[in-house]
Amino acid sequence: MNSLLSRYCANTLVGFSLCLGSPFTLLSQAPNSPSGPLHLNAALVLSPELCAKKVKKGGGAFTGKEIFDVGAAACRQLEPGMKPAFDSLTRVDSVESAGSAQVILLPEFVESSATRPAFILSSQKMILLIQWTVKDSGGHTLWIQTVEGAATGHGGGTHNSYLKRLVEDVMKNSAEQAVASMTAAPELRALSK
């Protein structure tokens, strides 16, 4: 987690300024949306490669690797989670399928971190950074922002169902953070008029 946070802090001016204060609290807060959804027709690209993405964490001498199915969770949670940001949102599997969309949303997994619970009923925290690139219909980049999704899970059910719930919660939080960031972005607000 420390390398994840320090890389984020070092690689972005905003991250650096936020990390000088109280990094975890500040990084997990999204900006307030100034005036509701963007009046834009958007296409959300959820490619087969993105939907198949898995993250492996752990693997020490006494612990096995945990596999987090972040791609499948993204492909279930991002479309409904991003709908409040736009007048119209269509899910597509490639940029070429975006049709007449005014903006194209391209999520990309950047980094993830997950604590390993010490005991079977311990809580486990997961953080996932997703870089969002928004392009216009001509392919020009309008906006890029890395958004942090975070969740804490607690034991219950089978381990696999527990991990699935944890990743789903992280993805829901990530979509909320992305909606708040996009709807507050001056570059996208200017297009929305």
Side-chain angles (χ1 to χ4, degrees):
M1 160 107 159
N2 288 339
S3 68
L4 171 69
L5 225 37
S6 38
R7 187 175 331 158
Y8 179 74
C9 293
N11 288 336
T12 67
L13 183 57
V14 172
F16 178 74
S17 64
L18 290 174
C19 291
L20 291 176
S22 172
F24 186 76
T25 303
L26 290 174
L27 287 176
S28 64
Q29 294 174 350
N32 292 328
S33 174
S35 60
L38 298 166
H39 303 296
L40 295 169
N41 175 12
L44 172 61
V45 179
L46 298 176
S47 68
E49 296 80 22
L50 183 116
C51 293
K53 177 77 173 170
K54 294 181 190 301
V55 172
K56 295 178 184 174
K57 294 289 176 188
F62 299 103
T63 61
K65 283 192 186 268
E66 289 184 311
I67 299 173
F68 297 91
D69 199 352
V70 295
C75 289
R76 282 190 300 271
Q77 298 296 330
L78 291 181
E79 181 184 7
M82 296 302 296
K83 280 191 185 275
F86 300 94
D87 279 349
S88 170
L89 179 79
T90 305
R91 175 183 172 160
V92 296
D93 59 7
S94 68
V95 172
E96 296 75 29
S97 304
S100 63
Q102 294 168 286
V103 292
I104 302 164
L105 315 177
L106 299 158
E108 178 185 353
F109 298 114
V110 177
E111 184 68 64
S112 64
S113 174
T115 60
R116 181 84 179 176
F119 303 101
I120 219 81
L121 297 175
S122 302
S123 64
Q124 184 171 11
K125 179 168 217 86
M126 182 175 189
I127 296 173
L128 181 66
L129 297 181
I130 297 178
Q131 178 177 295
W132 287 89
T133 303
V134 179
K135 297 186 177 230
D136 65 16
S137 57
H140 302 98
T141 299
L142 302 171
W143 183 80
I144 297 176
Q145 179 72 42
T146 300
V147 175
E148 175 189 287
T152 301
H154 303 282
T158 67
H159 190 65
N160 286 339
S161 69
Y162 165 78
L163 291 181
K164 182 178 177 181
R165 281 192 320 272
L166 178 62
V167 174
E168 295 281 335
D169 289 346
V170 168
M171 210 55 66
K172 284 178 190 173
N173 182 254
S174 183
E176 291 167 4
Q177 304 305 316
V179 165
S181 294
M182 285 182 197
T183 57
E187 304 87 342
L188 301 179
R189 280 269 156 224
L191 273 181
S192 178
K193 294 181 178 182

